[in-house]
């Protein structure tokens, strides 16, 4: 079967229903043994140094022939995807765009039209996709259980991050993914609870740092909430495939995200929030709103290169942890 790559979370049910293999291009980049080679390749090809490294990773993943077709999300994700789409087309690569509607008015109609166009492009139709979506509801419910075990201190923040972020494409095989998840949940249910002094949440795009979760765990901090990764797992239990992706907060305006974040802060009893932002990403501007409207203390950290957390960021996070511990006394 042919592989279809995509630049961020899309209705993956459409790809599966078309008997194609979904590939999240971000995962190819970040799970490579040496992701820096992806960045180096893109810069040698001419991509500017002051461009987001996720874009460079996606560019290299496609140019090194990892997929047969690309779906570029040009509405609701990175604004650089417009230019990236043009570059791919100039190279003769088969690219289709997908847009999450920004305006709330007639959002259902607009999203349904986008999904129908994508289904048609991939050789299926929305009725077939609607029937197929029930095949993924079981594994999505188990991912919800994994998230509940994270709140219950039986699954670490890193494990939560890894499973949820992998659910964007189910590693290309949702049946095998579900089998592995069953094994993990069976083991996690029988664990002792993780001991921690503080409970914090991550909001923003998944961090590019490789050791941030371990650094926090060593400080006695349990990451009980991964906002965007949880959204990537499409938590809505609605049966209508369009409504399911309308409940997905990431691609729409920030108010949807703020409402979700504050609800989960209260539910998960979080002491603070780490807002991760990627260098050169337009979403950094939303930090102003997040700090103003989120109900607990927020620290913003910025990353650029794949690898360990830099010393300056470690010192800032340590100070934030000390401040939160003082507030709890």
């Amino acid at each position: 079967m042919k592989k279809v790559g995509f630049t961020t979370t899309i209705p993956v049910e459409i790809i599966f229903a078309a008997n194609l293999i979904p590939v999240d291009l971000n995962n190819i980049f970040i799970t490579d043994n040496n992701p820096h080679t992806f960045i180096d390749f893109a810069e040698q090809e001419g991509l500017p140094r002051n461009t987001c490294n996720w874009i460079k990773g996606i560019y290299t993943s496609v140019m090194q022939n990892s997929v047969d077709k690309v779906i570029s999300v040009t509405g609701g994700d990175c604004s650089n995807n417009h230019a990236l789409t043009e570059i791919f087309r100039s190279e003769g690569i088969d690219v289709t765009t997908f847009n999450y509607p920004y305006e709330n008015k007639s959002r259902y109609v607009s999203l349904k039209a986008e999904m129908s166009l994508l289904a048609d492009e991939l050789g299926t139709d929305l009725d077939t996709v609607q029937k197929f979506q029930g095949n993924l509801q079981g594994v999505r419910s188990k991912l919800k259980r994994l998230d509940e075990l994270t709140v219950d201190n039986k699954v670490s923040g890193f494990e939560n991050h890894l499973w949820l972020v992998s659910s964007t494409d189910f590693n290309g095989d949702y049946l095998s993914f579900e089998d592995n998840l069953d094994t993990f949940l069976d083991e996690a249910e029988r664990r002792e609870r993780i001991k921690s002094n503080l409970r914090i949440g991550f909001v923003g795009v998944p961090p590019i740092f490789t050791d941030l979760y371990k650094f926090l765990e060593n400080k006695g901090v349990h990451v009980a909430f991964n906002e965007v990764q949880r959204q990537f797992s499409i938590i809505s239990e609605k049966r209508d495939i369009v409504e399911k992706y309308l409940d997905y907060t990431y691609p729409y305006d920030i108010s949807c995200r703020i409402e979700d974040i504050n609800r989960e802060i209260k539910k998960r009893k979080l002491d603070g929030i780490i807002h991760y932002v990627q260098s050169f990403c337009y979403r950094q501007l939303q930090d102003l709103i997040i700090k103003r409207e989120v109900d607990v203390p927020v620290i913003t950290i910025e990353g650029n290169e794949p690898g360990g957390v830099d010393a300056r960021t470690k010192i800032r996070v340590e100070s934030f942890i000390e401040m939160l511990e003082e507030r709890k006394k």
Side-chain angles (χ1 to χ4, degrees):
M1 289 191 286
K2 290 186 176 181
K3 294 182 178 179
V4 178
F6 47 87
T7 57
T8 189
T9 300
I10 58 159
V12 71
E13 289 86 349
I14 298 175
I15 301 177
F16 279 124
N19 289 317
L20 300 168
I21 300 173
V23 179
D24 188 329
L25 296 165
N26 297 282
N27 293 345
I28 292 181
F29 162 54
I30 203 61
T31 60
D32 190 85
N33 289 331
N34 192 356
H36 283 95
T37 60
F38 285 55
I39 297 170
D40 293 342
F41 177 86
E43 291 182 354
Q44 287 167 11
E45 289 282 295
L47 264 66
R49 292 179 62 83
N50 61 348
T51 298
C52 166
N53 279 332
W54 288 104
I55 287 291
K56 296 174 193 171
I58 290 171
Y59 171 82
T60 301
S61 298
V62 172
M63 297 306 292
Q64 293 185 346
N65 301 317
S66 57
V67 294
D68 301 291
K69 180 180 181 66
V70 175
I71 298 169
S72 180
V73 179
T74 49
D77 189 41
C78 177
S79 53
N80 286 325
N81 280 340
H82 289 267
L84 193 62
T85 300
E86 293 165 359
I87 293 171
F88 287 152
R89 284 178 174 161
S90 73
E91 295 286 346
I93 291 166
D94 183 7
V95 185
T96 294
T97 59
F98 184 83
N99 295 281
Y100 288 99
Y102 180 77
E103 297 297 338
N104 195 27
K105 185 179 179 182
S106 303
R107 188 175 280 172
Y108 181 94
V109 174
S110 300
L111 181 58
K112 185 177 181 180
E114 277 293 315
M115 292 172 71
S116 294
L117 283 172
L118 181 59
D120 183 61
E121 173 72 21
L122 297 183
T124 184
D125 58 70
L126 207 52
D127 287 340
T128 303
V129 174
Q130 177 63 44
K131 291 174 185 171
F132 177 85
Q133 70 95 15
N135 295 340
L136 295 188
Q137 196 52 54
V139 66
R140 293 202 188 283
S141 296
K142 291 171 185 176
L143 288 167
K144 185 179 179 183
R145 178 57 187 154
L146 177 139
D147 194 43
E148 291 168 350
L149 289 172
T150 309
V151 179
D152 198 26
N153 282 38
K154 287 197 171 185
V155 169
S156 73
F158 178 70
E159 289 170 327
N160 177 287
H161 156 81
L162 203 57
W163 278 102
L164 298 186
V165 84
S166 299
S167 69
T168 55
D169 63 3
F170 296 101
N171 298 330
D173 181 349
Y174 68 92
L175 293 174
S176 175
F177 185 96
E178 187 170 2
D179 285 345
N180 292 332
L181 180 56
D182 284 339
T183 302
F184 176 81
L185 289 175
D186 182 59
E187 185 269 325
E189 295 269 11
R190 291 182 278 108
R191 288 178 179 174
E192 296 289 329
R193 287 185 171 81
I194 299 165
K195 294 179 180 177
S196 62
N197 303 323
L198 291 172
R199 298 168 67 82
I200 64 109
F202 269 119
V203 304
V205 296
I208 204 167
F209 295 126
T210 54
D211 60 356
L212 184 53
Y213 288 90
K214 186 176 181 181
F215 173 73
L216 290 167
E217 288 167 8
N218 288 339
K219 299 291 179 185
V221 176
H222 178 54
V223 178
F225 179 47
N226 285 307
E227 180 226 349
V228 169
Q229 295 92 322
R230 174 171 166 270
Q231 289 296 326
F232 282 170
S233 71
I234 312 299
I235 52 179
S236 173
E237 294 180 337
K238 290 179 180 171
R239 291 178 179 273
D240 185 324
I241 187 73
V242 181
E243 289 186 351
K244 190 180 282 290
Y245 280 87
L246 283 176
D247 286 348
Y248 168 46
T249 63
Y250 176 73
Y252 308 113
D253 62 88
I254 188 74
S255 62
C256 303
R257 290 181 55 202
I258 294 291
E259 184 180 339
D260 176 60
I261 290 167
N262 278 332
R263 181 173 54 245
E264 295 304 317
I265 285 172
K266 185 176 181 181
K267 176 181 172 184
R268 297 166 194 247
K269 299 178 180 176
L270 302 182
D271 299 297
I273 288 290
I274 295 178
H275 180 207
Y276 175 81
V277 296
Q278 183 68 28
S279 298
F280 312 115
C281 176
Y282 82 96
R283 289 184 182 272
Q284 288 198 28
L285 296 174
Q286 295 172 331
D287 186 59
L288 185 151
I289 303 171
I290 288 173
K291 281 184 172 171
R292 189 169 59 207
E293 299 193 15
V294 163
D295 295 335
V296 294
V298 178
I299 183 175
T300 304
I301 62 173
E302 179 178 343
N304 185 31
E305 301 275 343
V309 184
D310 60 275
R312 177 176 173 273
T313 300
K314 283 183 178 177
I315 291 171
R316 290 185 63 232
V317 173
E318 283 174 336
S319 298
F320 183 66
I321 291 169
E322 289 171 5
M323 183 272 289
L324 294 177
E325 288 173 338
E326 283 296 318
R327 286 181 92 236
K328 289 194 73 172
K329 289 180 180 176

